[in-house]
Structures are given as C-alpha cells and as structure tokens.
Amino acid sequence: AFPLGSELKPSVALDIGELTTDDIGLEVIFINKQKDGDEFDKIIFKTELSPVAIQGNQVTFSGSIPITQSGVYEHGFRVYPKHKLLAFRGDFPLLKWI
C-alpha cells in the first residue's frame, strides 16, 4: 500500500535492439481493480516514463507517480512506437504490454 501524498517510482529496463529511444515510448497505465470476467471501463491514470539510462541496447525508463487517490488498482506497462509521421499510436499495429 502507498500512503496518500507519497510517490510511486516505477523503473523498467528494456533491450531495444537496433531501435533508439526516439522510436519507442513506454507508459504505465492504472485502471480500477476488476472482478474476473469484467471489462475495464476507463483509464484512471497514465503517464509516459522517460529514458534515464542507456547501456548498449538496454534502456532504463523511469518516472514518478504522485499518489493522490486511494483505492485498489491494476496496472500495466505499454510499449508503443513513436514517430513524427504517426498521428496516433493506433495507426501502427504494434503494441506490447509488459
């Protein structure tokens, strides 16, 4: 449990191969805790994580999330393509949940 007013500081290390940090984005998404079989209704919070360290092909993304509301949540990390010619993330059918 995280007390209100504290911060969650997620960190994820990815091997991005020949890609660069300009080619991909990583975000964390929170939704309300679901019962088995329920579909989620809306995203409660999401934020993009920033690349903070690069060592060879391994990039570490990190961020800071203020805890501003109580509750029970599920979360996931979403890796998506980034490019100036992609108006929307869904324009390119490549998305990875981790």
Side-chain angles (χ1 to χ4, degrees):
F2 297 96
L4 288 174
S6 66
E7 288 185 328
L8 175 63
K9 297 185 179 195
S11 182
V12 176
L14 296 177
D15 183 337
I16 62 171
E18 296 179 18
L19 298 173
T20 70
T21 55
D22 292 330
D23 297 326
I24 64 168
L26 180 81
E27 64 187 355
V28 61
I29 296 173
F30 287 83
I31 64 172
N32 283 322
K33 177 81 172 152
Q34 303 297 302
K35 296 178 185 171
D36 288 340
D38 284 354
E39 294 184 26
F40 86 95
D41 53 355
K42 68 177 184 172
I43 294 172
I44 301 299
F45 180 83
K46 72 176 178 176
T47 190
E48 186 169 349
L49 302 181
S50 300
V52 294
I54 301 172
Q55 186 174 13
N57 294 341
Q58 184 170 315
V59 178
T60 301
F61 292 84
S62 188
S64 180
I65 301 169
I67 307 300
T68 59
Q69 52 187 327
S70 61
V72 179
Y73 302 99
E74 295 184 35
H75 70 281
F77 295 93
R78 182 164 57 181
V79 180
Y80 58 89
K82 289 188 346 185
H83 192 275
K84 63 184 177 185
L85 297 177
L86 284 173
F88 303 100
R89 293 180 192 159
D91 286 350
F92 191 73
L94 178 63
L95 181 75
K96 178 74 174 173
W97 286 95
I98 55 173

